[in-house]
Amino acid sequence: MPEIRARPARPAPLQWQTFFSLLAERFGATGAVVERSGLSLGNVGQPRALFPQARFAHLYRSGPDCALSMSRHIAFRVILMMLEIAERCGVDSPYELTAEHFAQVPPALAPLLTGTYDPALIMDRPIPLPVFGDMWLRWIVDGVRNLEELPAGIRTSLSYEDQDLLAEPREELTRPAGFIGVEARPDWLEAAAGLLDGDGRRGSAGLLDPAEPEALRQSCAECTAALAGAAGRP
């Protein structure tokens, strides 16, 4: 804290670079800083502008499996419910909602706008799985388009299921390590491989009622094609 407070006021990227340098000095580290940002595909241009030396690795999952996981996550359910509220109120975004709109919100959704509610309001609300597939599709299609605007040499992709991350994690993790310019140390590869949950995650959507995976596949089909086209490795 004393080190940071002693620094002059400067643009945020410079402050971050100073912070990274302090951490490297403190822990005797060399190499690169890796930051994992979920839901950041729509904002690729900003870190590219702020950190011109940055490289971008897109880690993604199978669409149906990802949609199923999203359906069980409170944050993604809140996003969809807030979008429903915005649509009911005739605005394009939840950020445009005002106090005048609150009167138009059905009682079943109104507590979301108060900040005090039972989590069951979110987790128990029926939301069809293909709706999450559609949300995944929109994000990925836009995200792949944003990534393709970057120079080919500073971007790569890594699929949780479709490539060999689960089958051959040590070999597959060596590639992104080389991409960001660090050594794939044996101890790190061993620890990372031990964190992978292949049995519990891969193909999880296939365990649903047969009608639901098919609907999910259809909702994700366009996006799966977009990912396949962007999966070339530099």
Side-chain angles (χ1 to χ4, degrees), residues 21-67:
S21 298
L22 287 172
L23 290 179
E25 181 180 343
R26 182 183 180 95
F27 295 106
T30 58
V33 175
V34 179
E35 195 268 341
R36 187 265 188 190
S37 294
L39 296 181
S40 59
L41 280 176
N43 200 32
V44 169
Q46 186 177 44
R48 167 64 173 160
L50 296 177
F51 300 96
Q53 73 276 32
R55 291 176 159 236
F56 297 80
H58 181 205
L59 174 62
Y60 61 90
R61 294 185 63 189
S62 156
D65 288 352
C66 192

Side-chain angles (χ1 to χ4, degrees), residues 11-223:
L14 292 178
Q15 297 287 21
W16 276 110
Q17 290 170 19
T18 299
F19 180 57
F20 296 149
S21 298
L22 287 172
L23 290 179
E25 181 180 343
R26 182 183 180 95
F27 295 106
T30 58
V33 175
V34 179
E35 195 268 341
R36 187 265 188 190
S37 294
L39 296 181
S40 59
L41 280 176
N43 200 32
V44 169
Q46 186 177 44
R48 167 64 173 160
L50 296 177
F51 300 96
Q53 73 276 32
R55 291 176 159 236
F56 297 80
H58 181 205
L59 174 62
Y60 61 90
R61 294 185 63 189
S62 156
D65 288 352
C66 192
L68 176 60
S69 178
M70 290 162 63
S71 75
R72 297 168 174 171
H73 194 293
I74 192 167
F76 294 107
R77 297 180 69 87
V78 167
I79 290 172
L80 284 174
M81 293 171 70
M82 291 301 295
L83 289 173
E84 179 182 348
I85 290 174
E87 182 178 359
R88 286 173 177 267
C89 294
V91 295
D92 294 330
S93 165
Y95 295 107
E96 299 177 25
L97 293 169
T98 65
E100 288 72 25
H101 290 120
F102 292 0
Q104 305 175 38
V105 179
L109 294 173
L112 280 179
L113 302 177
T114 67
T116 303
Y117 52 83
D118 187 334
L121 167 72
I122 299 167
M123 300 309 296
D124 292 349
R125 185 173 179 81
I127 304 177
L129 278 174
V131 174
F132 292 95
D134 290 340
M135 181 164 64
W136 179 83
L137 183 152
R138 291 195 300 272
W139 283 342
I140 296 294
V141 168
D142 288 344
V144 166
R145 187 180 301 117
N146 291 334
L147 287 170
E148 288 178 340
E149 293 178 356
L150 302 177
I154 67 165
R155 55 181 164 87
T156 190
S157 62
L158 182 66
S159 167
Y160 193 79
E161 301 96 346
D162 298 336
Q163 294 168 8
D164 298 323
L165 181 56
L166 293 180
E168 299 177 346
R170 292 159 189 82
E171 292 80 357
E172 192 64 14
L173 288 172
T174 298
R175 180 175 63 84
F179 173 73
I180 63 175
V182 299
E183 177 191 2
R185 297 197 325 245
D187 59 333
W188 173 74
L189 290 173
E190 204 61 35
L195 295 174
L196 294 172
D197 180 12
D199 294 334
R201 294 183 181 273
R202 178 164 52 185
S204 56
L207 303 177
L208 299 170
D209 178 272
E212 290 190 304
E214 180 56 31
L216 269 179
R217 278 191 290 272
Q218 290 179 4
S219 67
C220 296
E222 177 187 348
C223 197

